[in-house]
C-alpha cells in the first residue's frame, strides 16, 4: 500500500526536476545567444585602414572617440610610408594578392578610378543621399566617381598654393608677384641683396608630388596634360614645353637650388621655414606648421603665379575613404566613414592640424575662422582647383610624366624631346 501511495509523489518530483532543468537550459541558452555570443562576436569586428604614420597620429584622438562611442567596432589605423605612391603600391599589392587586410581604403583624389575599374572598391552610391553629398566640395566628390558610381567620400581636401615672405618683399619694396617672370625677377633681386639664399622652392623629385606641382605650371601657361573627355594629350604642345622650360630655368638661374630635383614637400617646407627662401609652392598644411618656426608671422599665401594673359593653376589634392570590396564588415566600415567625415569630427581635426576640410561649411565656420582667418579665401582657391586627369590609367600616366619631366629638369633630355616622348607614350597607354 505504501508503495502505491509513494508512486504519484515520485512522478511529480521527477516532473519538477525536468521542468527545472528545462527552464535552466532555456535561461542558459538565452544568455548565451542573447548576450554572451553577440557580445563576443561583436567585439571581434575590427575595421582596418592604412595611412601614412604622421596622419595616423593626427587622427588618433578622433579614432579614440570612435572606439569609445562604438564599443562593438574597433577602428585600427595601420601606419604606412610617407610617400603617396608607396601607399598606393601597398594597397594595390594587397588587392592583387587577394585577402587584403584593409576594410577601408584611404585614397588620394586620383586613385578612385583605377581602384574602381579594377573592381577593388564597393559602390557606395546608395549609402549617401544627394543632399548629404552636396555638402562636400564638388571637385573632391568628382574625384571619387567612376562611370557614374561613387566609390570614395572626401575626408580632407588640399590645393597647391604659393607661400611668400611678406616681410622680405616689403623690405625690398615689392608687391607679391602675379606672373612667372615677376617671381623670377623678385627672387633674383632679393638674392642679390642677400635677403635670402634661394628664390623659389618646388617639388622636383620623381614622384606624385611632382605631377601635382606640374599641373599648376601647365595651367599657368594655358597648357594641359590629358583631357579626360576626349583623351587628347597636350604634353608636347608649345605651351606645355614652355612650362617645362620655366621649371628648368629656375635651376639654371640659381633661383632654385640644384637639389630641388630631389625634393618632396617636406624638404621644401623645412628650407622655407628655416628662412632660406622667398617663395614656396606647397599644400596648406605648411601654413600652421610654419607658425611654430622662425618665420612665424612673416609669410602669406596666394594663388600660384601664371604667364601673363592666363589664370593661376591650383592642383586639387586631398584624401578620402572608400570600402574594400573584400571587406567582411562593410556596414561597420561605413559607420567609420560617416563618423570621420562628419562636421563635428572634421572641425576637431582641422582645428588641431590646420589641414583642409572637405565640407564646404567648415571654411566659414566661426571656430575655424577664428583660428585660421585665411580659410574663407582658401575656399575660393580650392573651388577653382584643377583635378589631375580622372582616368583609370592615371597611375601609369603619372609615372610616364614623372620620368620624362625628371629627365628634362635634370638636363638628361631637352624639354622638347622629353615632352614629345612623354606625350607619345601617354597616347599609346590611352589607346590600349
Ligand atoms: C598631397 C595631396 C595629394 C597629392 C600628394 C602628392 O598629399 O593631398 O593629392 O597626390 O600630396 O605628394
Amino acid at each position: 500500500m505504501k508503495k502505491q501511495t509513494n508512486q504519484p509523489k515520485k512522478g511529480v518530483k521527477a516532473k519538477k526536476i525536468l521542468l527545472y532543468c528545462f527552464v535552466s537550459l532555456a535561461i542558459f541558452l538565452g544568455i548565451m545567444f542573447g548576450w554572451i555570443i553577440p557580445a563576443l562576436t561583436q567585439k571581434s569586428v575590427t575595421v582596418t585602414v592604412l595611412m601614412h604614420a604622421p596622419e595616423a597620429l593626427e587622427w588618433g584622438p578622433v579614432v579614440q572617440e570612435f572606439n569609445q562611442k562604438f564599443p562593438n567596432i574597433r577602428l585600427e589605423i595601420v601606419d604606412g610610408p610617407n610617400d603617396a605612391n608607396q601607399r598606393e603600391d601597398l594597397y594595390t599589392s594587397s588587392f592583387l594578392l587577394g585577402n587584403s587586410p584593409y576594410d577601408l581604403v584611404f585614397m588620394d583624389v586620383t586613385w578612385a578610378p583605377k581602384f574602381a575599374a579594377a573592381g577593388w572598391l564597393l559602390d557606395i552610391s546608395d549609402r549617401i543621399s544627394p543632399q548629404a553629398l552636396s555638402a562636400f566640395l564638388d571637385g573632391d566628390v568628382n574625384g571619387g566617381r567612376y562611370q557614374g558610381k561613387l566609390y570614395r567620400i572626401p575626408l580632407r581636401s588640399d590645393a597647391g598654393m604659393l607661400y611668400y615672405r611678406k616681410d622680405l618683399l616689403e623690405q625690398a619694396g615689392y608687391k607679391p608677384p602675379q606672373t612667372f617672370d615677376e617671381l623670377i625677377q623678385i627672387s633674383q633681386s632679393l638674392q642679390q641683396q642677400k635677403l635670402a639664399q634661394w628664390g623659389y622652392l618646388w617639388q622636383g623629385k620623381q614622384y606624385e608630388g611632382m605631377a601635382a606641382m606640374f599641373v599648376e605650371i601647365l595651367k599657368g601657361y594655358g597648357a594641359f596634360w590629358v583631357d579626360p573627355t576626349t583623351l587628347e594629350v597636350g604634353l608636347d604642345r608649345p605651351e606645355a614645353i614652355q612650362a617645362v622650360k620655366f621649371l628648368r630655368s629656375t635651376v639654371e638661374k640659381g633661383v632654385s637650388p640644384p637639389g630641388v630635383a630631389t625634393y618632396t614637400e617636406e624638404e621644401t617646407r623645412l628650407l622655407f621655414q628655416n628662412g632660406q627662401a622667398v617663395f614656396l609652392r606647397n599644400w596648406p598644411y605648411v601654413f600652421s606648421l610654419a607658425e611654430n618656426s622662425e618665420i612665424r608671422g612673416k609669410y602669406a599665401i596666394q594663388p600660384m603665379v601664371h604667364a601673363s594673359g592666363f589664370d593661376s593653376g591650383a592642383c586639387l589634392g586631398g584624401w578620402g575613404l572608400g570600402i574594400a570590396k573584400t571587406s567582411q564588415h562593410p556596414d561597420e566600415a561605413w559607420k567609420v566613414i560617416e563618423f570621420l567625415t562628419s562636421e563635428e569630427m572634421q572641425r576637431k581635426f582641422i582645428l588641431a592640424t590646420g589641414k583642409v576640410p572637405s565640407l564646404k561649411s567648415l571654411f566659414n565656420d566661426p571656430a575655424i575662422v577664428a583660428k585660421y582667418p585665411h580659410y574663407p579665401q582658401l575656399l575660393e582657391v580650392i573651388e577653382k582647383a584643377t583635378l589631375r586627369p580622372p582616368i583609370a590609367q592615371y597611375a601609369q600616366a603619372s609615372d610616364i610624366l614623372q620620368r620624362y619631366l625628371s629627365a628634362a629638369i635634370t638636363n638628361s633630355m631637352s624639354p622638347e624631346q622629353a615632352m614629345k616622348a612623354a606625350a607619345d607614350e601617354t597616347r599609346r597607354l590611352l589607346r590600349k
Side-chain angles (χ1 to χ4, degrees):
M1 285 293 277
K2 257 190 174 178
K3 262 185 183 176
Q4 278 174 351
T5 48
N6 273 347
Q7 260 170 1
K9 271 191 182 170
K10 267 191 180 169
V12 172
K13 207 172 170 189
K15 267 187 193 160
K16 270 189 181 166
I17 293 175
L18 210 67
L19 189 71
Y20 177 74
C21 288
F22 180 74
V23 172
S24 310
L25 184 70
I27 294 174
F28 173 74
L29 290 177
I31 293 175
M32 277 297 281
F33 286 100
W35 187 61
I36 298 180
I37 292 183
L40 286 178
T41 47
Q42 276 177 11
K43 253 195 189 140
S44 66
V45 174
T46 299
V47 172
T48 313
V49 62
L50 174 87
M51 281 183 186
H52 61 303
E55 175 127 13
L57 199 70
E58 288 173 335
W59 282 105
V62 174
V63 172
Q64 223 178 354
E65 216 171 311
F66 177 87
N67 286 337
Q68 270 159 11
K69 188 161 177 204
F70 297 94
N72 298 329
I73 311 173
R74 227 189 96 68
L75 171 58
E76 205 174 282
I77 303 189
V78 178
D79 286 350
N82 268 348
D83 190 324
N85 297 104
Q86 286 173 12
R87 292 198 302 283
E88 185 179 6
D89 290 347
L90 284 176
Y91 273 120
T92 299
S93 48
S94 84
F95 291 130
L96 286 174
L97 294 170
N99 240 342
S100 164
Y102 309 117
D103 299 282
L104 286 163
V105 191
F106 187 51
M107 283 179 276
D108 198 346
V109 70
T110 53
W111 297 2
K114 166 181 153 183
F115 282 33
W120 299 333
L121 299 175
L122 211 63
D123 172 9
I124 49 175
S125 318
D126 294 338
R127 290 190 184 249
I128 183 162
S129 71
Q131 196 201 351
L133 200 58
S134 68
F136 292 93
L137 289 156
D138 299 340
D140 284 85
V141 172
N142 289 339
R145 289 192 204 277
Y146 180 66
Q147 295 188 338
K149 291 181 180 155
L150 185 72
Y151 293 93
R152 169 192 181 274
I153 304 288
L155 183 56
R156 64 171 183 86
S157 192
D158 238 350
M161 52 192 56
L162 186 71
Y163 288 76
Y164 64 93
R165 288 285 301 277
K166 57 178 185 198
D167 59 330
L168 298 183
L169 259 59
E170 271 164 26
Q171 202 177 328
Y174 285 111
K175 281 206 206 111
Q178 296 303 310
T179 63
F180 293 115
D181 288 346
E182 285 169 12
L183 178 130
I184 299 279
Q185 279 159 20
I186 299 175
S187 294
Q188 286 178 322
S189 156
L190 268 60
Q191 284 175 287
Q192 273 155 21
Q193 295 177 55
K194 305 259 182 285
L195 288 175
Q197 186 178 359
W198 301 109
Y200 177 44
L201 300 171
W202 46 279
Q203 294 79 44
K205 184 181 164 180
Q206 189 181 320
Y207 81 121
E208 183 55 30
M210 174 198 235
M213 172 281 306
F214 189 56
V215 161
E216 295 164 4
I217 310 296
L218 281 175
K219 179 89 195 290
Y221 277 97
F224 69 97
W225 179 358
V226 175
D227 180 324
T229 15
T230 60
L231 294 189
E232 197 183 343
V233 179
L235 292 178
D236 50 357
R237 295 198 178 186
E239 54 273 26
I241 292 166
Q242 280 293 107
V244 182
K245 285 188 173 161
F246 162 73
L247 287 174
R248 204 154 106 159
S249 75
T250 66
V251 182
E252 280 164 1
K253 292 180 177 160
V255 162
S256 303
V260 88
T262 62
Y263 292 167
T264 68
E265 287 89 353
E266 279 299 86
E267 288 85 10
T268 56
R269 172 178 74 87
L270 292 171
L271 278 175
F272 186 70
Q273 275 189 197
N274 292 340
Q276 292 180 42
V278 189
F279 299 108
L280 162 75
R281 180 270 165 208
N282 215 317
W283 306 99
Y285 83 100
V286 172
F287 200 93
S288 53
L289 291 181
E291 278 298 283
N292 301 317
S293 77
E294 61 181 76
I295 58 162
R296 183 189 169 87
K298 296 179 177 167
Y299 58 91
I301 49 168
Q302 66 163 49
M304 184 44 105
V305 290
H306 48 83
S308 49
F310 291 98
D311 280 342
S312 284
C315 175
L316 185 74
W319 294 82
L321 288 165
I323 303 177
K325 215 178 215 169
T326 47
S327 171
Q328 301 294 305
H329 314 296
D331 295 336
E332 289 81 1
W334 178 252
K335 278 215 158 55
V336 173
I337 296 185
E338 278 183 319
F339 188 82
L340 263 61
T341 60
S342 69
E343 198 176 71
E344 193 190 340
M345 290 307 129
Q346 279 200 40
R347 183 185 296 109
K348 255 188 198 162
F349 177 76
I350 303 306
L351 285 173
T353 63
K355 288 195 165 148
V356 183
S358 60
L359 287 169
K360 290 181 241 182
S361 59
L362 287 175
F363 287 85
N364 287 296
D365 180 83
I368 291 187
V369 177
K371 188 156 184 198
Y372 310 115
H374 63 287
Y375 270 44
Q377 185 202 346
L378 192 60
L379 177 62
E380 285 168 31
V381 175
I382 291 204
E383 282 190 319
K384 281 198 279 174
T386 310
L387 206 55
R388 279 158 280 176
I391 49 172
Q393 307 92 325
Y394 177 77
Q396 291 119 295
S398 176
D399 181 62
I400 296 171
L401 173 66
Q402 291 165 38
R403 269 189 284 119
Y404 289 107
L405 188 54
S406 179
I409 286 162
T410 54
N411 268 337
S412 48
M413 280 176 107
S414 73
E416 288 83 358
Q417 278 175 330
M419 289 298 101
K420 168 99 181 58
D424 288 347
E425 212 170 309
T426 311
R427 286 187 189 112
R428 281 199 295 279
L429 167 77
L430 298 180
R431 243 182 263 128
K432 269 184 206 164

